[in-house]
Amino acid sequence: MMDLTDDTQKKHTKDDTQNSLKSSLKVSKTDVTPLTDEDYNRKKLFKKGVNLMADEKLEDACEAFEQALRIDPKNIETLLKLGYARFHIGQHTEALAAYDQVLNIDITHPEAWNLKSLVDYEKENYSKALDAVQNAVDSDPNFGMAWYNKACYLSLLNQVPESLEALKRSIEIDVKNARKAVKDRDFINVRIEEGFRRIIEVVVLESIRQGYHTLGSIVWTTLLKKSDVEEALAKLLEKGLIIQNEKREGFHRIPIYDLVKHISDRVTVEKRGFLGLTRKKLTGPIQSFRMLSESVQLAKNTIEEEDVEGTIKSLDVFVNSDKCGPIMIEQFFEEHRDIRLWRARLDHRGRDYLIEHKERMLNVLENIGASVTKKMRNDSDYSSDKLQ
């Protein structure tokens, strides 16, 4: 029988949870005391619960979260963590009760719907899990993990074309989902499909982008079969997305693989996308980068002014597929995910969240702006060279 616990953790792993929890607990440089913060005791108990979860003391964590909820029974963040801790000690009814409380407060909360779907997944009630996760993606169309989970449930229900489409969408949002998918047993029903072979190509391409250039190192880092990597490399060479050279090691010559130069020029024209999805026609990297640069400056201004409505509107540009979404996914994977998270949290927590995360938001946008300026300068120099 399938080990559902392992597969559930693939969808929302303990490490991912701990990292997201720790990052969400950064406090401002100003010391917070009971005299300056009426919510001090709740935050203290919440942080205690998070730390206990990180130490895998889940029952103690539940107690800390429940104490925090006595102070603020409608705190969504605490309810979600309580539900998640309950889920991992097998208390599924209690976990569902916590998620339902969140949905009573905000029926469109995407994370609550996604986590609720995992309870039904654990019970192998895949149709019900699919209904819940569909509510998650309806609430937040850029929620990559919810799209990934939807793909899993559809595969388990043997709805193969729909599963592939959902998986492609999740990979467009976060390319790391491709690497996760190729080892996920939930996709056993779709692995023979040509669309799934393209996903393996994405994993290999991303491995090369990260600096792994030999067959052995790609196999090692992706955990794919050698034959699958060789087939993917052959396809990528045929499509002109990578080039092959050789290097000497003693008396042997070892093939090495690199991305083609200015690969972004190849993928921003109007054609079928790498995963078989139609891309929007862009007018070239320079104009896309210019639009992105302007959007960064606008977003920084609204954040500086602590304008919640303006910030939400400016962040939408980075995730909108008709605006800067495609180039963000292509050039700034991690930042794209951060911005989607900010966008969702601002809807729920408003100005408090903006003030709490203002410094990090500005730093991330500043780094994007600096990188865009450098890319624009390099592409401009390259275009000038071609004209000479």
Side-chain angles (χ1 to χ4, degrees):
M1 180 175 286
M2 181 188 298
D3 185 348
L4 291 172
T5 302
D6 288 344
D7 284 319
T8 300
Q9 290 188 356
K10 286 178 184 176
K11 292 162 180 55
H12 199 111
T13 64
K14 179 180 68 181
D15 289 341
D16 288 343
T17 302
Q18 291 174 7
N19 290 337
S20 64
L21 290 173
K22 290 175 182 176
S23 65
S24 69
L25 287 170
K26 293 179 180 177
V27 297
S28 64
K29 296 179 181 178
T30 305
D31 291 336
V32 178
T33 69
L35 295 176
T36 60
D37 188 352
E38 295 179 356
D39 205 23
Y40 174 82
N41 287 329
R42 184 200 64 79
K43 290 179 179 178
K44 184 176 180 181
L45 287 166
F46 177 79
K47 185 173 182 178
K48 178 182 178 182
V50 170
N51 290 335
L52 288 166
M53 284 186 75
D55 293 336
E56 299 187 34
K57 298 176 180 178
L58 297 178
E59 292 185 358
D60 292 337
C62 290
E63 185 176 345
F65 292 137
E66 286 172 344
Q67 290 174 1
L69 287 168
R70 293 190 193 112
I71 299 171
D72 182 0
K74 294 186 176 182
N75 186 272
I76 287 178
E77 199 170 15
T78 308
L79 285 167
L80 287 174
K81 299 305 182 287
L82 173 63
Y84 193 67
R86 289 291 187 199
F87 171 77
H88 276 287
I89 56 178
Q91 297 179 357
H92 296 154
T93 301
E94 292 82 353
L96 282 174
Y99 300 147
D100 284 337
Q101 286 185 64
V102 174
L103 295 171
N104 286 336
I105 298 167
D106 177 9
I107 191 63
T108 64
H109 198 287
E111 190 173 355
W113 281 117
N114 182 56
L115 291 172
K116 190 171 182 177
S117 79
L118 294 180
V119 180
D120 291 311
Y121 168 86
E122 183 79 2
K123 296 177 180 179
E124 299 186 43
N125 190 344
Y126 304 128
S127 294
K128 199 169 180 180
L130 180 60
D131 289 340
V133 84
Q134 183 61 52
N135 286 327
V137 298
D138 287 344
S139 298
D140 181 4
N142 293 308
F143 191 175
M145 183 51 66
W147 279 105
Y148 182 90
N149 289 345
K150 179 181 178 179
C152 289
Y153 307 152
L154 286 165
S155 172
L156 291 165
L157 291 166
N158 207 30
Q159 297 181 36
V160 174
E162 295 86 352
S163 174
L164 275 174
E165 286 303 311
L167 182 56
K168 290 170 186 176
R169 176 66 179 136
S170 80
I171 294 169
E172 283 190 325
I173 295 169
D174 186 351
V175 73
K176 291 179 182 176
N177 288 331
R179 181 172 177 178
K180 189 182 304 182
V182 296
K183 303 301 292 183
D184 195 329
R185 288 174 292 175
D186 286 347
F187 291 113
I188 191 168
N189 291 327
V190 299
R191 283 180 179 164
I192 61 172
E193 298 294 319
E194 179 61 27
F196 198 82
R197 306 306 298 177
R198 294 198 189 102
I199 290 168
I200 294 176
E201 292 170 29
V202 171
V203 176
V204 172
L205 192 69
E206 180 65 9
S207 182
I208 296 171
R209 189 186 72 81
Q210 292 175 354
Y212 301 99
H213 301 292
T214 64
L215 175 63
S217 64
I218 295 169
V219 170
W220 178 260
T221 55
T222 61
L223 302 178
L224 290 168
K225 295 179 181 178
K226 181 180 178 182
S227 58
D228 288 338
V229 173
E230 289 175 330
E231 181 180 344
L233 288 170
K235 289 288 187 180
L236 292 169
L237 284 166
E238 181 182 331
K239 293 174 180 178
L241 295 173
I242 62 174
I243 56 174
Q244 179 180 331
N245 294 304
E246 290 184 337
K247 70 173 183 179
R248 283 185 175 275
E249 279 196 5
F251 295 104
H252 302 285
R253 290 181 177 271
I254 298 178
I256 58 173
Y257 303 91
D258 287 289
L259 300 179
V260 297
K261 291 183 179 180
H262 302 281
I263 191 173
S264 61
D265 292 348
R266 294 171 176 260
V267 297
T268 53
V269 296
E270 186 176 17
K271 58 180 182 180
R272 295 291 289 179
F274 186 62
L275 290 173
L277 300 178
T278 303
R279 293 180 176 272
K280 298 291 183 180
K281 183 176 180 180
L282 302 179
T283 56
I286 293 290
Q287 184 165 336
S288 297
F289 285 138
R290 185 176 293 117
M291 184 197 309
L292 187 54
S293 179
E294 292 170 356
S295 301
V296 165
Q297 190 56 51
L298 178 60
K300 285 169 62 179
N301 290 342
T302 58
I303 292 169
E304 288 280 10
E305 295 168 2
E306 297 179 1
D307 176 1
V308 176
E309 186 176 344
T311 299
I312 290 173
K313 187 176 180 180
S314 67
L315 294 182
D316 281 340
V317 176
F318 296 99
V319 297
N320 190 321
S321 60
D322 292 326
K323 296 180 181 177
C324 292
I327 198 165
M328 283 294 297
I329 291 170
E330 182 187 325
Q331 300 286 341
F332 302 100
F333 293 116
E334 299 297 329
E335 294 85 349
H336 183 268
R337 183 169 55 180
D338 286 342
I339 290 171
R340 286 188 296 101
L341 177 62
W342 301 343
R343 175 65 181 78
R345 292 293 181 262
L346 283 168
D347 269 337
H348 298 301
R349 294 181 53 194
R351 194 166 184 271
D352 289 342
Y353 185 85
L354 178 57
I355 293 172
E356 183 179 349
H357 294 81
K358 179 178 177 179
E359 185 176 345
R360 168 161 170 71
M361 289 179 178
L362 290 171
N363 286 339
V364 170
L365 290 168
E366 183 68 31
N367 290 337
I368 293 175
S371 180
V372 167
T373 299
K374 183 177 179 181
K375 290 175 183 292
M376 288 175 66
R377 186 181 299 117
N378 290 343
D379 279 352
S380 180
D381 291 345
Y382 174 70
S383 298
S384 298
D385 291 342
K386 286 178 69 177
L387 292 171
Q388 290 178 0

